[in-house]
């Protein structure tokens, strides 16, 4: 299922780079024109949706997809309460992009654990050199939509960080939370 959207996401990503990539997206956000973000966010939605349909964390994929659609639909406001609308929009989008990136990293880390023995056994049975067998997982990742989703996340995160004036580092603050976590089933 993933292979169906891989060429489309890859082609879109290449086209986006040709027209200026992250820098162009940043400039459009600076001028409060975020309509140019609709295509990349839509493409990311398609890639994340494909991951969910393939069985990889479908609830998380649905949640990320819903967030992407919400931020795309909401657009950018001049103000959000007393806050700058562009900053609030960019921070919301960054949170969703970070969540998308974590999803791709989890998949990439889990894939080698899914098939290692079977890949090694099959490789030995077919007389494939051991070093070729070891590269199977990386090739599998690069051939799938996960790789394109990861590349698109990287480009969008670069644009969002640039829009926010961030240097690419996220500050982590330790703390405690109290309450009840409730998960809604959709």
């Amino acid at each position: 299922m993933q292979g169906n959207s891989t060429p489309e996401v890859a082609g879109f990503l290449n086209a986006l780079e040709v027209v200026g990539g992250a820098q162009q997206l940043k400039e459009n956000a600076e001028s409060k024109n975020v309509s140019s973000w609709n295509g990349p966010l839509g493409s990311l939605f398609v890639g994340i949706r494909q991951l969910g349909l393939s069985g990889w964390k479908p609830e998380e994929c649905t949640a990320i997809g819903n967030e992407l659609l919400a931020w795309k639909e909401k657009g950018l406001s001049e103000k959000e309460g007393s806050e700058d609308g562009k900053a609030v929009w960019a921070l919301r989008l960054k949170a969703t992009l970070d969540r998308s990136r974590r999803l791709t990293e989890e998949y990439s880390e889990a894939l080698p654990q899914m098939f290692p023995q079977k890949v090694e056994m099959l490789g030995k049975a077919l007389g494939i050199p051991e070093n070729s067998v070891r590269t199977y997982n990386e090739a599998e990742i690069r051939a799938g939509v996960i790789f394109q989703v990861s590349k698109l996340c990287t480009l969008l995160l670069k644009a969002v960080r640039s829009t926010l004036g961030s240097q690419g580092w996220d500050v982590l603050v330790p703390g405690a939370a109290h309450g009840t976590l409730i998960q809604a089933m959709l």
Side-chain angles (χ1 to χ4, degrees):
M1 181 75 84
Q2 288 185 35
N4 295 339
S5 65
T6 301
E8 288 80 12
V9 176
F12 183 82
L13 190 55
N14 290 337
L16 185 59
E17 288 287 358
V18 167
V19 297
Q23 182 61 32
Q24 185 63 40
L25 290 171
K26 177 214 180 236
E27 289 171 8
N28 289 344
E30 291 292 328
S31 66
K32 308 246 189 250
N33 173 15
V34 293
S35 63
S36 64
W37 289 71
N38 289 343
L41 294 177
S43 188
L44 183 58
F45 172 82
V46 168
I48 294 288
R49 181 77 178 131
Q50 286 295 318
L51 287 175
L53 290 173
S54 73
W56 180 253
K57 298 194 173 189
E59 296 88 8
E60 180 68 2
C61 291
T62 298
I64 292 170
N66 289 341
E67 286 179 12
L68 288 168
L69 291 177
W71 306 150
K72 185 177 162 184
E73 185 179 309
K74 183 165 178 54
L76 190 142
S77 306
E78 275 300 313
K79 291 273 186 198
E80 294 241 2
S82 63
E83 301 292 325
D84 175 38
K86 180 184 73 170
V88 172
W89 172 83
L91 287 169
R92 284 178 178 153
L93 185 55
K94 182 182 176 306
T96 301
L97 294 171
D98 284 338
R99 190 174 181 181
S100 301
R101 171 57 77 78
R102 282 190 303 274
L103 184 76
T104 65
E105 289 169 354
E106 290 168 5
Y107 181 90
S108 297
E109 290 172 8
L111 186 64
Q113 307 308 317
M114 291 179 198
F115 308 111
Q117 282 185 322
K118 291 180 182 178
V119 169
E120 288 177 24
M121 287 172 39
L122 184 60
K124 276 185 180 179
L126 295 173
I128 298 173
E130 194 174 320
N131 63 332
S132 296
V133 172
R134 284 193 303 262
T135 61
Y136 169 80
N137 287 329
E138 183 176 340
E140 186 66 22
I141 290 168
R142 289 181 178 266
V145 71
I146 194 78
F147 185 67
Q148 302 306 323
V149 167
S150 177
K151 285 175 56 177
L152 187 53
C153 281
T154 298
L155 184 139
L156 291 169
L157 279 166
K158 181 178 179 183
V160 166
R161 286 185 178 117
S162 187
T163 299
L164 288 167
S166 170
Q167 298 301 314
W169 296 97
D170 293 324
V171 177
L172 300 179
V173 180
H178 301 278
T180 303
L181 176 63
I182 300 173
Q183 182 176 357
M185 296 302 207
L186 301 175

